């Protein structure tokens, strides 16, 4: 029966997506799976759509205009997309095409009620479901109505929601074509949706069945709440039966209507447990065929399930691949490193090669497999204690998993004689106390500088394969410096002194987070110095109005060469260049080597410089540092005086004074190892980008940034072979694009369950947002929700609200009054610098950037760990 424009469903499979669209391809594939029943029907192919579009040349001009619209300009999109739809619906279907459709319909029965459904070629893909973006019409009767609704489906390619979805996902409207599926209508007793993985938790072992009476439109449209069945290993493990007051039924003459359900039936389950289990079994069969979890639309007719659609669930966070047996538990690296955005393949592979622990990657993020550490009593205690100190939400997420009977059984200790995990260093040695001596820190920093100088000197002589022979040696030196036991002892000395002061002064004096004030303006903190140094840059620029005016209009990274053309510009350029010499290796998301560094993209700093010019007086850096130092000294005297008035006070005061000296000696060094890592990363990157330029010159790559989509080993191979698989690069770019839509969890299990933890607290006022208190004090001000440092526009008294802050955000901290982040812990960089600058700060506030609107007044309770929204 095959014609030019129409194919029966049984002639179609998933390889024909370009011809019949995602819905048609999946329905054809479903009809071929043994034991799966699909209502009979046919597809009007994309050839027909293209013929119709060719008859409307005016659409081309409208598409050009559409492509240039901002995805957020909803009104313009609404008007233009409506005009395109009207144009398509007004086109008469050519006689040969209409004849093919009516012949196919006659095989179903000319007056057979049908569902007419849009099927776009960019629909129901593994990376983008497009669910609900185009239109479906139910209970359509007769050839005239079928043809009219086929036209409406073609036009629904340009619904406002479909256009906006494509604009936001970077999909060219012309690359998407529309097929139409016409199927025999099913009149079910019950219908709904089956997810073969739990769509909320991500657990791949749990199927979720949503069920209601009548047609599924009642559920899809939100008309009624569904019954929900959770099925695991062949049994219903949870059910919620809703009061289903209404349903959608088909009308005899065509179309549908809402009907009231008899009150006696409203709270009856739409399915029995046995039916839910049987349906879940069918879902597993479909999932196995397509190779990934599915979102399945089903109908129940006379105790017989019919499947009317299946599409991939695209919102699930992928599970790491492993050869290990049994259940696994993975902890997010990004939440520890303050970088939860996806990383490109070169960035992932470089971090893995230089990290201190084995890591696995999935969804563009890195995770550590914590299963082994959690499998022994001592390892479990050590890891939970470490996580609890840094990020209580990660600890709570781990405890949530560990509380489940049998998921991760405890094993005996492999070596009972070892020291506890909490005091073992990354290098494997036992932690030992070190003297409170600034020379320890000075020596560590000098050794780091000497090692990086040697790296720069040695790498300058390497190119081509010789560079890749040298880099593994450089990576070993990188790890040797960072696993130096003395470095670890210095970091722990500062952190342990902080904990001691907070714990003891709370016990003895009732002081909350006393160390926040005692560590103000602690010496030697490379990250806080970076923020203050940008104030000094502003001091150089402020007296020169021409330079300020020029910077206000900078829109590219070549502005440094233009600065000397303006009065005072040479001084300004030299100040910025000096800053970049010291800090130009930094950037947002800096653990990903592929991110543009400030030296590569100095325009990133311009908004922060201009904010400093506008909001501060000359000499602010030195003044602020001295004010913090004086405040810390006054706090020390106050604490010591109050301690001496207590029983045994002299002893308590002496011990506390020693700890204050210890924390001020070592806490600044906490930031230096990250500076060492990022300094090395920039050296590696500069060498690798020279290789990328050579590959471009040799026409092996189209552009040098394509190397970001290769792993380190693949880049090595490309340099040796002078060959790169263009398809692999294109595939990786598409994968990276889709990773942005995924939210990485703090903890992920091998069952696919994502767990983010919760604050088990009863001291947070109603309506307030709970978080982790990391820097004391209370401040009220205007919330500025900033997701990109380039877009920051901060005024005095503003409170910065963002997803996460790594050290590159520190220059913004000098100009704000408080800090709120979605990710963070007590000793992460943002918390350390907030304390250094005396900023009240609450981190780990779930969905802060969505729950707090830019411009709202908020109050940050930095000592108590919550945020109030005031207006």
């Amino acid at each position: 029966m095959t014609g030019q424009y129409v194919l029966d469903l049984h002639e179609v499979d998933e390889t024909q997506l370009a011809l019949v669209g995602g819905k048609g391809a999946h329905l054809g594939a479903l009809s071929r799976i043994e034991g799966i029943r699909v209502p009979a029907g046919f597809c009007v192919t994309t050839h027909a759509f293209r013929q119709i579009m060719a008859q409307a040349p005016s659409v081309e001009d409208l598409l050009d205009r559409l492509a240039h619209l901002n995805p957020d300009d909803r009104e313009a999109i609404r008007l233009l997309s409506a005009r395109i739809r009207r144009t398509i619906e007004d086109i008469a279907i050519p006689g040969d095409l209409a004849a093919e459709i009516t012949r196919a319909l006659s095989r179903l029965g000319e007056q057979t009620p049908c569902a007419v459904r849009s099927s776009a070629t960019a629909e129901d893909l593994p990376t983008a479901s497009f669910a609900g973006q185009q239109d479906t019409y139910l209970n359509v009767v007769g050839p005239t109505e079928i043809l009219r609704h086929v036209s409406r489906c073609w036009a629904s390619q340009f619904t406002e929601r479909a256009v906006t979805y494509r604009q936001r996902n970077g999909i060219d409207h012309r690359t998407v074509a529309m097929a139409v599926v016409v199927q025999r209508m099913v009149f079910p007793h019950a219908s709904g949706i089956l997810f073969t993985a739990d769509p909320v938790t991500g657990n791949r072992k749990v199927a979720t069945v949503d069920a209601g009476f009548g047609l599924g439109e009642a559920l899809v449209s939100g008309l009624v709440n569904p019954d929900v069945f959770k099925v695991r290993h062949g049994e219903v493990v949870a059910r919620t039966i809703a009061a289903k007051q209404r349903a959608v039924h088909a009308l005899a003459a065509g179309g549908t209507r809402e009907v009231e359900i008899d009150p006696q039936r409203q709270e009856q389950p739409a399915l029995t447990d046995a039916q839910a289990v049987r349906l879940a079994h069918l879902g597993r069969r479909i999932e196995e065929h397509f190779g990934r979890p599915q979102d399945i639309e089903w109908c129940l007719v006379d105790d017989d399930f019919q499947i009317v659609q299946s599409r991939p669930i695209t919102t699930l966070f992928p599970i790491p691949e492993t050869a290990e047996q049994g259940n696994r538990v993975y902890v997010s690296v990004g939440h520890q490193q303050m970088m939860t955005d996806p990383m490109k393949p070169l960035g992932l592979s470089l971090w893995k090669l230089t990290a201190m622990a084995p890591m696995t990657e999935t969804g563009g993020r890195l995770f550590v497999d914590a299963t082994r550490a959690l499998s022994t009593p001592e390892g479990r205690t050590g890891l939970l204690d470490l996580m609890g100190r840094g990020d209580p939400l990660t600890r709570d997420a781990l405890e949530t998993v560990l509380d489940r009977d049998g998921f991760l059984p405890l094993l005996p200790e492999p070596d009972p004689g070892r020291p506890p995990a909490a005091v073992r260093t990354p290098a494997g040695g036992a932690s030992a106390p070190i003297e409170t001596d600034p020379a320890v820190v000075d020596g560590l920093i000098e050794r780091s500088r000497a090692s990086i100088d040697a790296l720069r000197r040695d790498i300058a002589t390497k190119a081509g394969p010789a560079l890749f022979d040298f880099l593994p040696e450089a990576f070993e030196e990188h790890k040797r410096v960072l696993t130096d036991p003395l470095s670890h002892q210095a970091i722990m000395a500062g952190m342990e002194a902080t904990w001691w002061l907070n714990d003891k002064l709370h016990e003895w004096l009732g002081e909350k987070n006393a160390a926040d004030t005692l560590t103000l303006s602690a010496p030697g903190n490379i990250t806080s110095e970076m923020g203050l140094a940008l104030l000094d840059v502003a001091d150089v620029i402020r007296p020169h109005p021409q330079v300020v005016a020029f910077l206000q209009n900078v829109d590219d990274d070549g502005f440094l060469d233009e600065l000397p053309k303006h009065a005072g510009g040479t001084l300004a350029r030299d100040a910025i260049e000096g800053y970049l010499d010291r800090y130009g290796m930094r950037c947002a998301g800096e653990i990903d080597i592929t991110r543009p560094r400030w030296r590569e993209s100095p325009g990133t700093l311009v908004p922060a410089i201009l904010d400093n010019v506008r909001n501060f007086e000359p000499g602010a850096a030195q003044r602020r540092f001295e004010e913090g130092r004086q405040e810390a000294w006054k706090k020390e005297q106050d604490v010591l005086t109050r301690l001496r008035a207590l029983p045994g006070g002299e002893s308590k005061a002496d011990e506390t004074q020693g700890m204050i000296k210890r924390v001020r000696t070592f806490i600044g060094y906490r930031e230096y190892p990250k500076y060492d890592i990022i300094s090395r990363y920039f050296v590696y990157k500069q060498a690798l980008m020279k290789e990328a330029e050579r590959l471009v010159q040799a026409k092996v790559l189209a552009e040098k940034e394509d190397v970001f989509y290769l792993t380190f080993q693949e880049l090595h191979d490309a340099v040796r072979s002078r060959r790169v698989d263009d398809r692999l690069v294109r595939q990786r770019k598409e994968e990276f694009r889709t990773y942005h839509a995924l939210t990485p969890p703090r903890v992920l299990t091998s069952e696919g369950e994502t767990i983010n933890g919760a604050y088990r607290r009863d001291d947070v006022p109603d309506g307030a947002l709970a978080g982790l208190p990391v820097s004391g004090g209370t401040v009220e001000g205007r919330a500025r929700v900033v997701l990109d440092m380039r877009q920051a526009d901060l005024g005095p008294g503003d409170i910065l609200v963002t997803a996460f802050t790594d050290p590159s955000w520190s220059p913004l901290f000098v100009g704000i009054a408080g800090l709120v982040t979605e990710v963070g812990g007590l000793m992460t960089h943002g918390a350390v610098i907030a304390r250094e600058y005396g900023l009240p700060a609450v981190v780990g506030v779930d969905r802060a950037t969505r729950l707090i609107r830019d411009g709202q007044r908020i109050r940050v309770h930095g000592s108590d760990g919550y945020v109030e929204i005031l207006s």
Side-chain angles (χ1 to χ4, degrees):
M1 77 139 272
T2 305
Q4 182 182 358
Y5 299 117
V6 174
L7 292 173
D8 265 348
L9 274 182
H10 65 74
E11 297 179 279
V12 173
D13 63 27
E14 58 261 58
T15 66
Q16 294 166 286
L17 186 141
L19 189 62
V20 297
K23 194 175 275 100
H26 279 79
L27 283 167
L30 284 165
S31 68
R32 295 162 179 254
I33 303 173
E34 185 179 352
I36 303 299
R37 292 198 56 194
V38 176
F42 59 88
C43 294
V44 182
T45 69
T46 54
H47 291 321
F49 175 75
R50 291 192 173 94
Q51 181 179 350
I52 293 296
M53 293 294 283
Q55 294 184 32
S58 63
V59 171
E60 283 297 308
D61 175 57
L62 295 174
L63 288 178
D64 285 336
R65 291 166 57 188
L66 197 60
H68 289 93
L69 291 179
N70 186 312
D72 294 323
D73 191 347
R74 297 180 61 180
E75 180 62 13
I77 288 175
R78 184 184 68 79
L79 292 171
L80 201 52
S81 57
R83 188 171 165 189
I84 294 172
R85 290 197 304 277
R86 285 195 303 271
T87 302
I88 294 171
E89 288 184 33
D90 287 344
I91 298 170
I93 298 178
D96 58 340
L97 172 53
E100 272 201 45
I101 294 172
T102 52
R103 275 199 303 273
L105 179 62
S106 68
R107 277 181 277 274
L108 294 177
E110 198 170 83
Q111 295 300 310
T112 296
C114 291
V116 183
R117 314 175 74 191
S118 307
S119 180
T121 54
E123 181 179 32
D124 297 348
L125 307 179
T127 55
S129 78
F130 284 70
Q133 300 306 312
Q134 284 91 25
D135 289 343
T136 287
Y137 302 98
L138 301 179
N139 201 29
V140 182
V141 180
T144 301
E145 284 299 295
I146 293 289
L147 290 171
R148 185 168 75 86
H149 284 84
V150 167
S151 286
R152 293 181 71 183
C153 283
W154 287 329
S156 76
Q157 170 83 328
F158 299 99
T159 61
E160 182 184 344
R161 60 186 181 274
V163 167
T164 302
Y165 190 95
R166 289 195 295 272
Q167 302 263 98
R168 291 191 188 284
N169 285 276
I171 297 169
D172 186 341
H173 301 296
R174 288 182 174 83
T175 63
V176 182
M178 180 69 78
V180 181
V181 174
V182 180
Q183 275 181 291
R184 179 177 286 127
M185 186 70 190
V186 175
F187 301 99
H189 158 73
S191 58
I193 301 167
L194 161 66
F195 299 96
T196 63
D198 190 312
V200 177
T201 69
N203 195 316
R204 309 307 201 265
K205 303 289 186 184
V206 177
T208 300
V209 178
D210 288 2
F213 295 124
L215 294 169
E217 303 312 293
L219 300 186
V220 173
S221 66
L223 183 64
V224 297
N225 292 322
D227 295 342
V228 180
F229 300 82
K230 304 275 187 184
V231 181
R232 182 184 175 101
H233 299 319
E235 65 174 311
V236 173
V237 293
R239 75 179 63 74
T240 303
I241 306 304
K244 301 169 287 297
Q245 296 174 340
R246 303 182 71 79
V248 175
H249 285 174
L251 297 171
T256 62
R257 69 168 182 178
E258 294 178 18
V259 298
E260 295 277 354
I261 295 178
D262 187 307
Q264 293 182 331
R265 288 187 62 219
Q266 287 179 5
E267 296 192 26
Q268 290 180 2
L271 294 178
T272 66
D273 281 7
Q275 287 170 330
V277 169
R278 180 153 51 93
L279 180 59
H281 179 70
L282 294 175
R284 293 289 176 224
R285 192 175 297 175
I286 294 169
E287 178 184 71
E288 184 179 358
H289 175 86
F290 288 115
R292 57 182 58 88
Q294 297 287 301
D295 164 354
I296 298 165
E297 296 176 27
W298 56 268
C299 295
L300 180 64
V301 182
D302 299 328
D303 199 36
D304 181 30
F305 285 107
Q306 298 200 34
I307 306 300
V308 294
Q309 181 56 301
S310 184
R311 61 175 68 89
I313 306 175
T314 58
T315 56
L316 298 175
F317 202 86
I319 304 172
E321 295 181 6
T322 179
E324 300 283 352
Q325 299 298 309
N327 293 331
R328 317 299 298 175
V329 178
Y330 303 96
V331 176
S332 166
V333 173
H335 285 82
Q336 313 303 314
Q337 290 294 334
M338 300 300 95
M339 166 46 184
T340 55
D341 288 347
M343 296 169 66
K344 296 186 179 78
L346 186 62
L348 290 165
S349 60
L350 254 295
W351 190 262
K352 288 169 70 175
L353 285 167
T354 54
M356 300 328 134
M359 295 177 183
T360 185
E361 63 190 70
T362 187
R365 278 80 168 188
L366 290 167
F367 291 82
V368 170
D369 186 342
T371 310
R372 186 167 298 175
L374 293 170
S375 294
T376 66
E378 176 253 352
R380 183 173 292 191
T381 300
L383 184 59
L384 290 176
D385 182 62
L386 183 65
M387 290 298 166
R389 289 283 191 181
D391 180 7
L393 289 177
T394 298
R395 174 175 180 142
D396 184 80
L398 288 171
E399 288 177 330
T400 299
V401 175
L402 297 173
D403 285 345
R404 292 176 184 154
D405 289 343
F407 186 84
L408 210 62
L410 279 172
L411 303 173
E413 293 290 352
D415 182 1
R418 288 191 310 169
V423 297
R424 289 202 305 273
T425 73
S431 177
I434 55 174
E435 293 297 317
T436 303
D437 183 357
V440 172
V441 172
D442 294 342
L444 286 167
I445 290 174
E446 184 52 43
R447 287 205 291 277
S448 165
R449 288 174 177 163
S451 175
I452 292 171
D453 287 344
L455 170 65
R456 290 194 183 101
R457 188 171 57 248
D458 294 345
I459 208 169
T461 65
K462 306 293 190 295
L467 172 66
F468 289 88
D469 291 338
F470 166 75
L471 281 172
E473 300 172 21
F475 297 160
E476 287 308 308
E477 169 66 4
H478 178 131
K479 289 191 276 192
R480 185 196 66 76
V481 171
L482 292 171
T483 54
D484 180 345
L486 186 61
S487 177
H488 179 71
Q489 289 169 329
I491 292 170
M492 292 308 299
M495 292 170 67
E496 287 165 356
T498 300
W499 299 334
W500 189 96
L501 287 167
N502 281 336
D503 291 347
K504 290 297 184 182
L505 295 181
H506 186 261
E507 177 188 342
W508 293 336
L509 298 176
E511 285 266 356
K512 266 189 180 179
N513 303 317
D516 293 357
T517 306
L518 294 167
T519 54
L520 287 171
S521 297
N525 187 315
I526 190 73
T527 307
S528 62
E529 288 169 2
M530 177 171 68
L532 296 174
L534 205 62
L535 288 173
D536 292 335
V537 172
D539 285 354
V540 175
I541 290 169
R542 192 179 293 106
H544 304 291
Q546 286 189 30
V547 171
V548 174
F550 169 72
L551 291 176
Q552 286 170 341
N553 294 295
V554 162
D555 58 3
D556 63 54
D557 290 318
F559 72 95
L560 289 173
D561 295 333
E562 299 295 315
L563 269 174
K565 298 176 183 177
H566 304 274
T570 300
L571 288 172
R573 183 196 61 191
D574 291 348
I576 295 172
E577 287 281 4
Y579 186 87
L580 291 172
D581 287 344
R582 179 102 165 111
Y583 305 109
M585 77 293 290
R586 311 221 80 148
C587 68
E590 60 192 10
I591 69 170
D592 182 353
I593 199 173
T594 72
R595 293 284 191 107
R597 312 284 129 175
W598 290 344
R599 170 54 79 182
E600 298 169 315
S601 183
T604 305
L605 293 171
V606 169
I609 292 171
L610 289 172
D611 281 347
N612 289 348
V613 167
R614 185 174 65 249
N615 298 331
F616 291 92
E617 296 294 322
Q622 181 59 37
R623 192 163 53 251
R624 285 189 58 140
F625 186 82
E626 183 58 26
E627 287 170 356
R629 196 180 68 79
Q630 287 292 331
E631 194 174 341
W633 182 83
K634 289 175 186 173
K635 184 68 173 179
E636 179 179 355
Q637 302 313 303
D638 172 64
V639 163
L640 296 179
T641 299
R642 290 161 62 197
L643 284 173
R644 290 189 180 108
L646 299 176
E650 284 299 330
S651 172
K652 289 181 173 73
D654 288 348
E655 198 174 1
T656 298
Q657 190 167 28
M659 279 297 177
I660 292 172
K661 182 180 179 184
R662 191 166 179 80
V663 79
R664 293 188 67 81
T665 298
F666 290 114
I667 198 63
Y669 180 71
R670 163 73 180 82
E671 293 292 298
Y672 203 86
K674 187 71 170 283
Y675 180 78
D676 179 292
I677 293 171
I678 302 308
S679 297
R680 293 174 192 276
Y681 263 41
F682 194 36
V683 177
Y684 305 150
K685 183 178 186 180
Q686 289 172 308
L688 292 173
M689 293 315 289
K690 288 178 182 175
E691 296 303 317
E693 288 167 4
R694 294 186 184 103
L695 292 173
V696 171
Q697 291 165 5
K699 301 193 183 310
V700 176
L701 290 176
E703 52 188 23
K704 62 183 181 180
E705 287 77 13
D706 284 352
V707 298
F708 297 160
Y709 298 94
L710 303 175
T711 66
F712 179 78
Q713 185 58 53
E714 288 166 348
L715 178 53
H716 183 182
D717 295 342
V719 167
R720 289 187 183 276
S721 68
R722 288 297 204 243
R723 287 198 303 273
V724 169
D725 184 346
D726 292 339
R727 290 170 303 175
L728 178 65
V729 171
R730 286 196 302 273
Q731 176 191 333
R732 295 264 177 82
K733 286 181 178 180
E734 172 60 21
E735 288 173 349
F736 180 72
R737 186 184 68 78
T738 65
Y739 292 155
H740 281 280
L742 299 174
T743 301
R746 284 176 167 81
V747 171
L748 176 67
T749 75
S750 51
E751 292 187 344
E753 186 175 7
T754 60
I755 310 157
N756 281 300
Y759 294 107
R760 314 292 175 177
R761 297 172 53 182
D762 55 11
D763 60 342
V764 176
D766 289 345
L769 308 178
L772 178 66
V774 296
S775 184
T778 300
V779 66
E780 182 180 320
R782 178 178 65 163
R784 298 316 306 260
V785 180
V786 180
L787 300 179
D788 180 348
M789 191 173 157
R790 278 181 178 265
Q791 308 303 319
D793 180 15
L794 300 166
D798 283 349
I799 297 169
L800 175 63
V801 180
T802 190
F804 56 82
T805 61
D806 59 12
S808 71
W809 286 73
S810 299
L812 298 185
F813 285 19
V814 297
I816 60 176
L819 175 69
V820 178
T821 69
E822 295 179 343
V823 177
L826 191 62
M827 297 308 295
T828 49
H829 303 277
V832 171
I833 305 308
R835 291 193 291 273
E836 282 266 333
Y837 289 169
L839 298 175
V842 179
V843 303
V845 180
D846 187 38
R847 297 176 296 142
T849 60
R850 283 169 279 179
L851 296 175
I852 300 172
R853 294 195 310 275
D854 187 59
Q856 282 186 310
R857 287 198 69 77
I858 62 173
R859 186 180 295 129
V860 177
H861 296 262
S863 300
D864 297 311
Y866 63 88
V867 179
E868 291 180 285
I869 299 175
L870 304 177
S871 67

